[in-house]
């Protein structure tokens, strides 16, 4: 999926200087960035590459051989047995974790999102052990569920023309949210795909429930809440897709690990609306200074490039630490666009 070059003549000639301390971004430099593929961006970003490698290490550390084999195969060789379709080779390396500007929306963001959640959950389990002496939490469940909870996003397609994401036509339709059936729109789309796949592959029920629990609190969202259906309904719908017997949560046998999963992934409000959207807006403001429409395909690609070099969380932290001075962050962004060598590794 190659990005096509859509640079106008004026943009190609843009060389912008922002004061004496600012760095220039040459026309050739912009061209080099804008002709990169998502795969190339994720593979050469030092921090996106390192997080994918960390994710693989976590998967390899799963003790249960059956669970490890399922998770590893779904990451390395993403294929849906339920929908009889395969994703692009190495898709987990460059897939985003969202379908538009927001949480982890850049090439490689899916792996970053998984690692972030795994480490938050494990840290929570370790804290419970220290405080309460309840040390026997199951890391396998946490790693498996949080590696795979957004697995279907390996099929998200980077549009060659716009630099945006297209949702595959074969994805099951959403059947929640606006229709008033489900609390969230996870009763279809990417949620249904992974829940049904785990059932089809014979994954342990506690792993499948934990994966669905990333989107449904195992207490508040198990059954109907204010007329909206929850976790058990999502599992039942997935079972229909997989053509297997449904799994149902037993209220008397709920695992603490399921909450470790949901409340790490539940940080998405900060990830999406604060760190993610603020960062995308700053990058688009810099793109405008460089002569691009902030909503243009070029601005989308510049955002993808920058965010494979530096985290949106880190950019927001810089902004907060600077007394909410956006100019500080935009200077960093311009510097990365001018010369990102310090943020990169050789493709491999």
């Amino acid at each position: 999926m190659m990005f096509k070059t859509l640079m106008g003549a004026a943009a190609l000639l843009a060389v912008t200087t922002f004061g004496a301390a600012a760095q220039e971004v040459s026309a050739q430099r912009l061209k080099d960035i804008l002709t990169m593929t998502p795969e190339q961006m994720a593979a050469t970003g030092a921090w996106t590459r390192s997080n994918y490698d960390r994710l693989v290490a976590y998967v390899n550390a799963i003790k249960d051989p059956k669970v490890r084999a399922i998770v590893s195969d779904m990451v390395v060789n993403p294929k849906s047995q339920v929908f009889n379709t395969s994703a692009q080779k190495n898709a987990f390396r460059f897939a985003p974790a969202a379908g538009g500007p927001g949480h982890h929306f850049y090439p490689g963001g899916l792996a970053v999102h998984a690692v972030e959640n795994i480490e938050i959950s494990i840290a929570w389990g370790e804290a419970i052990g220290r405080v309460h002496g309840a040390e026997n939490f199951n890391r396998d469940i946490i790693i498996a569920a949080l590696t795979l909870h957004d697995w279907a996003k390996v099929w998200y397609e980077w549009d060659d023309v716009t630099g945006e994401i297209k949702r595959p036509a074969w994805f099951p339709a959403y059947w929640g949210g606006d229709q008033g059936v489900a609390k969230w729109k996870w009763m279809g789309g990417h949620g249904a795909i992974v829940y049904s796949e785990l059932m089809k592959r014979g994954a342990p029920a506690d792993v499948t429930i934990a994966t669905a629990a990333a989107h449904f609190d195992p207490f508040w969202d198990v059954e109907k809440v204010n007329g909206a259906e929850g976790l058990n309904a999502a599992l039942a719908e997935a079972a229909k897709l997989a053509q297997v017997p449904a799994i149902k949560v037993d209220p008397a046998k709920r695992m603490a690990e399921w909450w470790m999963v949901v409340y790490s992934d539940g940080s998405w409000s900060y990830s999406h609306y604060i760190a993610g959207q603020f960062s995308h807006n700053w990058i688009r403001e810099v793109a405008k200074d460089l002569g691009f429409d902030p909503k243009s395909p070029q601005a989308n690609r510049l955002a993808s490039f920058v965010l494979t070099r530096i985290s949106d969380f880190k950019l927001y932290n810089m902004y907060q630490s600077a007394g909410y001075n956006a100019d500080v962050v935009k200077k960093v962004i311009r510097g990365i666009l001018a010369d990102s060598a310090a943020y990169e590794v050789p493709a491999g």
Side-chain angles (χ1 to χ4, degrees), residues 3 25 29-30 32-38 40-42 44-48 105-107 158 280 283 298-311 333-341 343-344:
F3 276 151
V25 186
R29 170 67 173 167
L30 287 172
D32 290 343
I33 293 172
L34 293 172
T35 54
M36 291 179 74
T37 66
Q40 290 168 338
M41 290 182 186
T44 56
W47 95 276
T48 46
F105 179 61
Y106 45 83
W158 293 97
H280 276 273
I283 297 167
Q298 294 90 344
N300 292 336
R301 292 174 190 146
L302 292 179
S304 288
F305 177 80
V306 170
L307 292 172
T308 56
R309 270 64 189 154
I310 189 168
S311 163
I333 292 167
R334 291 193 296 265
I336 291 172
L337 290 173
D339 182 0
S340 55
Y343 299 85
E344 294 175 344

Side-chain angles (χ1 to χ4, degrees), residues 190 261 298:
H190 72 280
V261 168
Q298 294 90 344

Side-chain angles (χ1 to χ4, degrees), residues 128-145:
I128 288 173
R130 288 192 299 271
V131 175
H132 299 282
E135 299 175 350
N136 296 322
F137 70 97
N138 190 318
R139 290 182 180 231
D140 283 3
I141 291 175
I142 289 171
I143 294 168

Side-chain angles (χ1 to χ4, degrees), residues 15-26 286 289-290 327-328 330-339:
V15 179
T16 308
T17 304
F18 298 86
Q23 295 191 27
E24 294 183 350
V25 186
S26 71
V286 173
D289 291 337
L290 291 168
D327 289 337
V328 171
K330 288 190 280 187
K331 182 177 178 181
V332 171
I333 292 167
R334 291 193 296 265
I336 291 172
L337 290 173
D339 182 0

Side-chain angles (χ1 to χ4, degrees), residues 201-279:
R201 292 181 181 232
D206 52 13
V207 170
T208 302
I209 293 170
T211 306
H215 301 136
F216 298 91
D217 181 290
F219 178 78
W220 299 108
D221 301 334
V222 172
E223 301 295 350
K224 288 188 176 182
V225 180
N226 297 325
E229 295 180 8
L231 177 54
N232 277 335
L235 294 170
E237 178 69 9
K240 290 178 184 178
L241 292 170
Q243 297 182 331
V244 299
I247 297 170
K248 191 171 183 178
V249 174
D250 182 343
K253 297 180 180 179
R254 285 178 277 199
M255 302 184 73
E257 290 82 354
W258 298 346
W259 280 275
M260 296 175 196
V261 168
V262 71
Y263 286 112
S264 59
D265 191 53
S267 67
W268 69 274
S269 60
Y270 171 77
S271 300
H272 190 90
Y273 295 109
I274 307 302
Q277 291 190 11
F278 272 73
S279 294

